[in-house]
């Protein structure tokens, strides 16, 4: 999200703080509201549904961010206001972070392992996961197109769904989706990058300067 928003808002340093702020706000909201889901009986099945909802939200958020310039009346050459940045990042980030942290709470209730018996251990392991993921991204994946990163994320979710689902038919379906994502990464990443973005520069006059 930070990488997508920074060029969109002309490299403003406020992007980092606003994106992280919205992510933490939505995570705190999900953790606070999770106490009201105690009456839900089958947290396991709901965890599977949240994985699917999370994938849909990520795809929609990616399309939304890529086409903010087409949605916003602000001219691309002039830039987008800080107010717009606050609103657009909230709409893109809140559904994903809220669903993700709600999913973590559902998984905590679904699996009674030592890892989830104490909140401290859970948060420590989550922090370690973020550090490992951030390191891998910074060293090996920072130059990859966002479409490829999106598909890799979806593949990781599909791996979880294959593991969690009990039906063989459903497992095969998710496996086929995983193979399809792998095919798209290898052969159609750039095509998706081009087609997912509308003509955001249609109203901008491009001037060539020659010295």
């Amino acid at each position: 999200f930070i990488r997508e928003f920074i060029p969109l808002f002309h490299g403003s340093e406020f992007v980092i703080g606003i994106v992280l702020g919205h992510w933490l706000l939505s995570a705190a909201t999900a953790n606070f509201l999770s106490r009201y889901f105690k009456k839900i009986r089958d947290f396991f099945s709901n965890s599977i549904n949240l994985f699917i909802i999370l994938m849909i939200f990520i795809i929609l958020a990616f399309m939304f961010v890529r086409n903010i310039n087409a949605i916003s009346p602000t001219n691309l050459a002039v830039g987008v206001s800080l107010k717009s940045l606050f609103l657009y990042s909230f709409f893109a980030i809140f559904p994903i972070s809220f669903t993700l942290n709600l999913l973590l709470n559902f998984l905590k209730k679904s699996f009674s392992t030592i890892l989830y018996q104490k909140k401290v251990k859970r948060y420590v392991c989550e922090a370690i996961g973020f550090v490992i993921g951030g390191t891998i991204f910074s060293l090996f994946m920072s130059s990859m197109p966002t479409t490829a990163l999106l598909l890799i994320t979806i593949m990781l979710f599909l791996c979880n769904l294959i593991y969690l689902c009990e039906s063989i038919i459903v497992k095969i379906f998710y496996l086929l989706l995983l193979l399809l994502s792998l095919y798209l990464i290898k052969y159609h990443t750039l095509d998706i990058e081009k087609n997912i973005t509308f003509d955001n520069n249609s109203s901008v006059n491009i001037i060539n300067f020659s010295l």
Side-chain angles (χ1 to χ4, degrees), residues 18 24-25 27 34 41 47 57-58 63 75 87 91 121 125 141 153 168 173 181 196 204-205:
I18 291 176
L24 294 175
L25 173 64
S34 63
R41 295 182 179 180
S47 298
F57 278 155
I58 289 178
M63 296 176 64
N75 191 298
L87 291 176
F91 291 142
K121 289 185 178 181
C125 289
M141 304 174 69
T153 303
I168 300 298
F173 173 72
S181 300
I196 206 69
V204 178
N205 294 324

Side-chain angles (χ1 to χ4, degrees), residues 46 48-58 95-96 99:
N46 283 279
I48 295 176
N49 294 332
L50 284 175
F51 265 116
I52 298 173
I53 294 172
L54 186 59
M55 286 193 295
I56 295 173
F57 278 155
I58 289 178
I96 294 177
T99 306

Side-chain angles (χ1 to χ4, degrees), residues 63-81:
M63 296 176 64
F64 172 73
V65 172
R66 279 297 178 92
N67 295 286
I68 285 178
N69 284 320
I71 300 171
S72 175
T74 307
N75 191 298
L76 177 62
V78 176
V80 186
S81 67

